[in-house]
Amino acid sequence: MAVDSPTGVIIAAVFLHAATTIVCGSDSVLKLERLIPPSHELSLAQLRAFDSARHGRLLQSPVGGVVDFPVYGASDPFLVGLYYTKVKLGTPPREFNVQIDTGSDVLWVSCTPCNGCPKTSELQIQLSFFDPGASSSSSMVSCSDRRCYSNFQTESGCSPNNLCSYSFKYGDGSGTSGYYISDFMSFDTVITSTLAINSSAPFVFGCSNLQTGDLQRPRRAVDGIFGLGQGRLSVISQLATQGLAPRVFSHCLKGDKSGGGVMVLGQIKRPDTVYTPLVPSQPHYNVNLQSIAVNNQILPIDPSVFTIATGDGTIIDTGTTLAYLPDEAYVPFVQAISSAVSQYGRAITYESYQCFDITSGAVDVFPEVSLNFAGGASMVLTPRGYLQMFSSSGSSIWCIGFQRMSHRRITILGDLVLKDKVVVYDLVRQRIGWAEYDCSLEVNVSATRGGRSKDVISTGQWRENSAQISYTSDYYYLLQVVFLINILLSWNFRFL
C-alpha cells in the first residue's frame, strides 16, 4: 500500500473488512487473518509507508504532545507593543489573531455583530469576526452547563436567553463582554522539526459582542485574547484536561524590532533554567520577588512591598508590555539608575517616561539590574532589558521601561523583562523558570507521553513545508473515514 495512493488505502480497508468475522453469542470470537497475504511481496518503501500510516494513528492518540503556536509582534510599545499568535476556530477552521496573555483565563474573539469592535488594525493584519452560524460545529453554552463556571472565572452570568455570558475588565480600563461558545479549535502538534500533524479538540471560548476602552482603538487591534492563565477555561487547562497537551507551556519572545519568537504547550529545555515557586492559590502567575539590586547593590526596599500580604503581589504577565513597580520600589529604583549614569548625561522626561540624554550614546554606561526571587532564582537584566531607546537631535534618549504604580501596590513583570528569554510555566510542579536565550534559534521541547518524557526540536521552520504537513494530515483523516465506513459495513453484514 503506497502512501501516495488513496486507492490503496481503500483497498486495504476492504481487505481488513473481509478478514474480520463477528460471531454473536455468549462468547465473541474474532477471526484474524493477514492483511497482506504471504504471496504478495511488498518493497521496503511500501512497508515503510504502511508503518508511517500506523505511526500517524499512534501520534494522533490523546496523550501529551508539543502544541506549537506561531508568535508575531514585538515588545516595543512605540512600534507594536504586544505579542500575538494565530488560532483556528470552527468548522471549517477560520484563523484569528489573538494577543498572548498569561494574565487572563479565557480565549475570546470578536464576534458578529459586535458593538465597539475595531474594524481596522495598524498592525497590518486583517481583522476577522467569528460567526457562530457559519460554523457547522458551533453551539452555545447554556447557563446550566458546568463549563459555564471555572475556578478563577467568577464573572460568568446568565443572559435573558439562557446563554452563559461573561464580562471582563482589564487593568488599562478596557473591557469586553459576550457569551461562551463551544466549537473546535484546530492546532499543530509538533512531532519533529520537519513534521507536524493537524489536530483539533472541542473548546469553549468567548464570543465578544461588546468592547470598550483601548480594545476599541485600531493602533494595536487584534481579534481577541489568548488566555493562558490557570483557570479551568484557559487554553492550557482545556487542552491538558483532554490529554492533548502537558500542563506546562513555554515562550521565547524576540526582543528586536522584527519581533516574533516561539510559544509551545510543552517545556522548552535549557540547562541554565532557574526556577522560582508560584504563590499557591492565586488567580494569576504570582511569584515571590524578594529584592532588586542595581550594580549588585540591594536597594532599600521593604520586601513586603512585593507580597500578596500587603497588596496584589508580583505577577508575570505577557499581556503587559512594560513593567510596573509600586511607589515604594519605583522611587529607589529610578534613583539608583540616575546615580549610576549621572556623569554620562542628564535626566529628562520624555513622553511621560523617566529618561536620560546620554551624550556618548552607549547603553553600556547603564548598570545591570537583578530581580531576586524566592528559591534563589535571579532574573538578571542587561540595560536593554529595562530600557527603551529613542533618537532626538543627534543624541540617544534612553528611557526606563519600568513604570510607577501609584494607585495600587502591585508589581507586574511584562514583555519588557520577559523578552529574549525562555520562560517556562510548569503548572504540575507549580513553578516558573527562565533562561537567557536567542529566541531566533531552534528550541528543544519536552512533553510527556504515557508518563515518559519525549524531546523534539521545534524551530517553527516546518511551517514552510506546509504541503507535506497537510498531506500527512489528509492521509490520516482519510484513514479515519475509511475505517469508520468499514465498521458500518461490518455491522450491516452482521444483521443480514
Side-chain angles (χ1 to χ4, degrees):
M1 178 182 61
V3 170
D4 57 355
S5 172
T7 304
V9 178
I10 297 174
I11 292 174
V14 173
F15 285 165
L16 176 64
H17 168 70
T20 304
T21 303
I22 299 178
V23 180
C24 299
S26 59
D27 297 319
S28 295
V29 179
L30 188 64
K31 182 181 178 181
L32 300 179
E33 295 181 12
R34 287 178 61 99
L35 178 62
I36 303 171
S39 59
H40 188 85
E41 294 185 1
L42 296 180
S43 68
L44 271 176
Q46 289 174 310
L47 291 172
R48 257 197 321 268
F50 183 83
D51 287 342
S52 177
R54 163 62 178 164
H55 296 162
R57 293 194 295 275
L58 289 174
L59 293 170
Q60 281 291 317
S61 60
V63 295
V66 174
V67 181
D68 183 276
F69 290 95
V71 175
Y72 307 90
S75 63
D76 191 335
F78 297 94
L79 295 173
V80 178
L82 59 82
Y83 289 92
Y84 61 97
T85 187
K86 294 180 182 293
V87 64
K88 295 178 182 177
L89 301 171
T91 305
R94 287 194 60 201
E95 198 168 67
F96 298 88
N97 298 288
V98 285
Q99 181 180 356
I100 299 169
D101 187 7
T102 60
S104 60
D105 290 335
V106 173
L107 165 65
W108 64 261
V109 294
S110 300
C111 280
T112 180
C114 185
N115 184 17
C117 296
K119 302 296 190 297
T120 60
S121 174
E122 295 179 12
L123 300 180
Q124 297 182 341
I125 60 175
Q126 180 68 43
L127 296 180
S128 299
F129 291 81
F130 184 82
D131 182 358
S135 173
S136 61
S137 51
S138 174
S139 63
M140 309 296 181
V141 177
S142 69
C143 295
S144 59
D145 195 309
R146 63 182 180 81
R147 298 172 299 178
C148 187
Y149 299 92
S150 63
N151 296 338
F152 296 118
Q153 190 58 45
T154 58
E155 293 87 349
S156 301
C158 190
S159 66
N161 51 358
N162 197 37
L163 293 181
C164 181
S165 58
Y166 66 84
S167 179
F168 304 139
K169 293 292 183 182
Y170 298 101
D172 60 2
S174 62
T176 177
S177 60
Y179 53 91
Y180 286 109
I181 292 284
S182 179
D183 208 331
F184 282 101
M185 173 193 286
S186 300
F187 48 89
D188 297 305
T189 301
V190 180
I191 308 305
T192 69
S193 59
T194 58
L195 175 64
I197 293 180
N198 294 343
S199 305
S200 63
F203 200 87
V204 174
F205 59 93
C207 194
S208 172
N209 51 27
L210 173 65
Q211 292 173 28
T212 60
D214 279 350
L215 290 175
Q216 295 180 309
R217 299 186 176 95
R219 181 172 177 267
R220 300 194 301 171
V222 288
D223 298 322
I225 299 292
F226 194 77
L228 283 163
Q230 300 182 72
R232 207 170 49 176
L233 291 183
S234 76
V235 174
I236 183 69
S237 295
Q238 289 198 58
L239 295 183
T241 299
Q242 298 180 64
L244 295 170
R247 289 190 62 80
V248 54
F249 68 97
S250 314
H251 58 68
C252 194
L253 309 175
K254 291 172 62 178
D256 59 30
K257 292 184 178 181
S258 63
V262 176
M263 184 177 73
V264 295
L265 305 191
Q267 179 182 354
I268 297 179
K269 298 183 67 176
R270 291 289 305 160
D272 53 343
T273 303
V274 296
Y275 288 92
T276 189
L278 284 167
V279 179
S281 304
Q282 296 301 308
H284 302 293
Y285 291 112
N286 280 76
V287 289
N288 282 309
L289 177 61
Q290 296 179 330
S291 65
I292 300 177
V294 175
N295 267 345
N296 295 318
Q297 298 295 314
I298 300 294
L299 301 182
I301 304 171
D302 185 343
S304 67
V305 169
F306 304 119
T307 69
I308 59 172
T310 62
D312 294 302
T314 301
I315 297 171
I316 291 181
D317 178 24
T318 60
T320 297
T321 302
L322 300 171
Y324 294 82
L325 293 171
D327 276 339
E328 298 94 326
Y330 178 83
V331 172
F333 178 73
V334 171
Q335 287 176 344
I337 301 295
S338 301
S339 176
V341 300
S342 59
Q343 59 182 312
Y344 302 103
R346 59 192 178 91
I348 62 172
T349 300
Y350 182 79
E351 295 190 7
S352 75
Y353 287 82
Q354 176 60 59
C355 305
F356 304 90
D357 185 354
I358 303 299
T359 53
S360 66
V363 70
D364 297 338
V365 302
F366 286 88
E368 187 176 82
V369 170
S370 177
L371 308 178
N372 305 309
F373 297 86
S378 292
M379 182 181 289
V380 178
L381 304 178
T382 64
R384 293 187 184 275
Y386 63 89
L387 296 172
Q388 298 284 343
M389 192 273 284
F390 308 95
S391 295
S392 177
S393 303
S395 297
S396 294
I397 306 297
W398 293 95
C399 299
I400 296 179
F402 279 78
Q403 300 296 289
R404 182 184 221 139
M405 290 288 275
S406 298
H407 62 288
R408 189 176 176 189
R409 184 176 272 188
I410 184 173
T411 299
I412 305 176
L413 305 179
D415 299 334
L416 176 76
V417 301
L418 300 179
K419 67 183 189 301
D420 299 319
K421 296 176 183 65
V422 165
V423 182
V424 179
Y425 302 73
D426 187 345
L427 303 187
V428 176
R429 296 177 178 85
Q430 284 292 289
R431 61 182 185 171
I432 289 183
W434 55 84
E436 295 289 329
Y437 196 66
D438 181 350
C439 298
S440 63
L441 301 177
E442 66 182 23
V443 292
N444 191 329
V445 186
S446 175
T448 300
R449 288 183 179 276
R452 291 182 297 178
S453 179
K454 176 181 178 180
D455 294 346
V456 300
I457 300 295
S458 175
T459 64
Q461 311 229 340
W462 49 265
R463 297 182 185 280
E464 299 173 4
N465 200 10
S466 57
Q468 177 183 348
I469 296 164
S470 297
Y471 186 76
T472 302
S473 179
D474 291 342
Y475 179 68
Y476 166 73
Y477 285 117
L478 179 59
L479 282 173
Q480 281 187 316
V481 171
V482 173
F483 184 69
L484 289 172
I485 292 174
N486 181 63
I487 292 175
L488 292 173
L489 288 173
S490 297
W491 280 99
N492 288 335
F493 278 119
R494 174 182 175 182
F495 293 106
L496 286 177

